[in-house]
Amino acid sequence: MTDGCVYVFDFSLVTMRYAQLVLTLLEPTSPTEAALAAADDISREQLHHLDLLDDGTATTLYEMSGNVDRVREITAADDALIDYQISAGTDRITVYAHFEPSEELTELLEFVRTSGLILDMPIEYTDDGRVRALVIGQADTFQAALANVPGTIDVELRQLGEYEPESERLYAQLTERQQETLLAALEVGYYRTPREATQRDVADYLDRSDGTVGEHLRKIEARILTAIAPQ
């Protein structure tokens, strides 16, 4: 692992495992990525697709929020973009991009392709600009793959366990702040019937603003309801 620690796992009892990883890209993957990360009026939310094509180019599908005009300005200035499309909704901006990847990103995508692991989408951006990913794989390939992560990224292992597609994946898709907010809401009784706490009670429990907690609760509910509702 690139954080200097050696992880030893016992995979003898379980064949399918999941790992929740928080990744820090040590080098920007593209000028667009660097500019989006630095923009104060843009928040990167999720990465729904990232793939290396046979010709060496890559495609990606971003979900973000904020100033759509600033997103258009950033993407238009990136010569590495072969093609892109921007779609703006009421509270979300979606960007499809076909681009020339950096050497570091190419190395990372080649690693994912050949590691025998499955990168579960979407990938979440954390509040501090890193990315949270859920990786799934067979027990006999998991440890070897994690030990050979490219040196261009720093890896922090957050969770490790037996893969359970519904409960584990849905919870892991929440950001760290959303997970904390959900657990706090459950603890104070916000979701009990009848309801025993208010949004203000959750905010006081976490020592955060009412508006911030309200935003997290709305995103949690939207994510869970979207996941369980018929498509």
Side-chain angles (χ1 to χ4, degrees):
M1 303 291 281
T2 56
D3 58 3
C5 299
V6 176
Y7 299 99
V8 179
F9 312 123
D10 181 4
F11 296 105
S12 59
L13 301 178
V14 182
T15 57
M16 291 298 295
R17 306 285 285 184
Y18 80 90
Q20 186 189 93
L21 308 174
V22 175
L23 311 178
T24 303
L25 302 180
L26 303 182
E27 296 291 339
T29 58
S30 70
T32 293
E33 177 72 19
L36 290 173
D40 293 333
D41 52 354
I42 298 171
S43 177
R44 297 171 300 163
E45 304 288 347
Q46 294 182 332
L47 190 60
H48 289 273
H49 169 84
L50 181 60
D51 191 27
L52 187 65
L53 305 182
D54 291 339
D55 62 1
T57 62
T59 56
T60 188
L61 185 66
Y62 276 109
E63 179 188 334
M64 59 193 74
S65 59
N67 188 335
V68 65
D69 291 331
R70 180 66 176 137
V71 173
R72 292 192 177 103
E73 177 185 341
I74 290 172
T75 52
D78 188 353
D79 294 335
L81 288 178
I82 300 169
D83 185 29
Y84 66 91
Q85 297 179 19
I86 300 174
S87 176
T90 55
D91 60 351
R92 283 292 181 270
I93 304 165
T94 302
V95 179
Y96 162 82
H98 180 201
F99 62 102
E100 297 282 353
S102 65
E103 291 184 7
E104 292 79 11
L105 181 57
T106 298
E107 182 182 12
L108 176 59
L109 293 178
E110 286 286 5
F111 165 76
V112 172
R113 176 183 287 183
T114 60
S115 66
L117 300 177
I118 298 172
L119 187 60
D120 197 33
M121 293 292 183
I123 297 173
E124 292 275 357
Y125 286 93
T126 65
D127 293 338
D128 57 4
R130 297 184 293 171
V131 295
R132 181 186 295 104
L134 192 70
V135 181
I136 305 160
Q138 294 183 0
D140 58 354
T141 62
F142 213 108
Q143 185 169 343
L146 290 179
N148 289 283
V149 172
T152 53
I153 61 174
D154 185 67
V155 179
E156 178 185 345
L157 178 64
R158 287 290 181 86
Q159 295 179 2
L160 179 70
E162 183 176 357
Y163 179 57
E164 299 177 7
E166 297 301 327
S167 60
E168 296 290 355
R169 182 171 62 180
L170 185 56
Y171 181 75
Q173 285 179 357
L174 301 177
T175 68
E176 184 175 354
R177 285 294 183 92
Q178 289 169 1
Q179 290 176 355
E180 292 174 352
T181 303
L182 175 59
L183 294 177
L186 293 170
E187 177 67 23
V188 301
Y190 182 79
Y191 287 113
R192 291 177 191 151
T193 304
R195 181 166 287 175
E196 298 177 2
T198 66
Q199 182 175 297
R200 179 70 261 171
D201 294 326
V202 181
D204 289 342
Y205 185 91
L206 292 168
D207 194 23
R208 295 177 189 158
S209 72
D210 196 359
T212 297
V213 166
E215 181 180 1
H216 285 317
L217 289 172
R218 287 190 295 273
K219 289 182 177 179
I220 291 167
E221 291 162 3
R223 175 67 50 77
I224 293 174
L225 292 174
T226 299
I228 65 176
Q231 300 299 310

